[in-house]
Amino acid sequence: MALAPRGQSRTVPDPAGDLYDQEMDRLRAKREAEDGDFRSPLDLAQDALQSFQDGPDIRRPNLAQSFIPVVGPAWEAVADLQDGDYGGAAFNGLMAVGDALPVGFAVKGLKAASKGIGAFKKGSVTAGAAAKKIRRVGLAGKGQEIHHTVPLKGTSRSAQDWRNHYALLKVLPVEQHRRLTGSWMGKPRYDPIRRVWYGTTDWMKAAPTALASYTADIVENVHRSSDGDGKPPSPRR
């Protein structure tokens, strides 16, 4: 029987071990191949953006088209995104959102009008009459109260007053209504931000935003037209 030199290990065949190593190598290679094909959502989004930016040019709206509510700034935002102007895309996206906000008020106004409450009803009514009308048409239910966005400040609820105008009234849950002016059920009065948010109607919140967006859009378009001849910027490629 052959002996290995003193101090050295003897090599012994191990078929089972060799098969195990081969199987591990195969599995490792398969896993690496699968990892190479894996793509994260961020990778997919970046590829989609790159394909969009490399695609056909999107013609920018002219000055008149850019003033179309929602469509104009949204169109500009898409063109900015294709050109890689991410700041401009974000700005015009916000302008489009600002344009869309008054739409919600218009829809609610039409709903109220269809139930017999004109958003711009002529003449003044009493607070009691206005509340009864709102409840009768189903715009306020149990657990809700009618809030005056312009406080009555002690004026009799049986007296006619412009502050009882339907456009200046808002239906609120009892808790929200009570916490606008003081504590309720152990909960403190709302902070100034929530008092403004809960205590104003949708159109009151939408109007300043819409006005700001229209003004900013006008300034941007006038500035753009004064910088050149009013033609769209040259293509990015």
Side-chain angles (χ1 to χ4, degrees), residues 140-164:
K142 185 178 180 180
Q144 295 180 313
E145 294 181 342
I146 312 302
H147 169 64
H148 284 73
T149 58
V150 182
L152 291 177
K153 295 185 180 297
T155 301
S156 173
R157 300 182 69 84
S158 61
Q160 290 191 346
D161 193 281
W162 63 272
R163 287 169 289 191
N164 300 324

Side-chain angles (χ1 to χ4, degrees), residues 21-85:
D21 291 339
Q22 292 175 7
E23 181 64 14
M24 290 298 99
D25 290 340
R26 187 185 68 80
L27 293 176
R28 188 180 302 109
K30 179 180 179 182
R31 184 169 60 251
E32 290 176 352
E34 290 175 348
D35 290 343
D37 292 336
F38 174 76
R39 310 191 66 201
S40 68
L42 180 59
D43 293 333
L44 295 175
Q46 289 177 336
D47 286 350
L49 176 61
Q50 187 64 45
S51 297
F52 169 69
Q53 292 178 333
D54 292 340
D57 285 337
I58 295 178
R59 182 181 61 84
R60 286 184 176 273
N62 58 35
L63 189 60
Q65 292 169 332
S66 66
F67 280 104
I68 301 174
V70 183
V71 175
W75 189 346
E76 290 278 9
V78 173
D80 287 333
L81 184 63
Q82 188 180 58
D83 289 343
D85 182 3

Side-chain angles (χ1 to χ4, degrees), residues 71-155:
V71 175
W75 189 346
E76 290 278 9
V78 173
D80 287 333
L81 184 63
Q82 188 180 58
D83 289 343
D85 182 3
Y86 303 116
F91 174 81
N92 282 301
L94 290 175
M95 294 303 100
V97 172
D99 284 350
L101 285 178
V103 175
F105 167 67
V107 171
K108 291 184 178 182
L110 290 173
K111 178 181 178 181
S114 69
K115 294 178 177 291
I117 296 180
F120 300 99
K121 179 179 175 67
K122 295 182 179 180
S124 299
V125 296
T126 67
K132 288 179 180 178
K133 181 70 172 179
I134 290 173
R135 292 189 182 281
R136 186 163 60 248
V137 298
L139 295 179
K142 185 178 180 180
Q144 295 180 313
E145 294 181 342
I146 312 302
H147 169 64
H148 284 73
T149 58
V150 182
L152 291 177
K153 295 185 180 297
T155 301

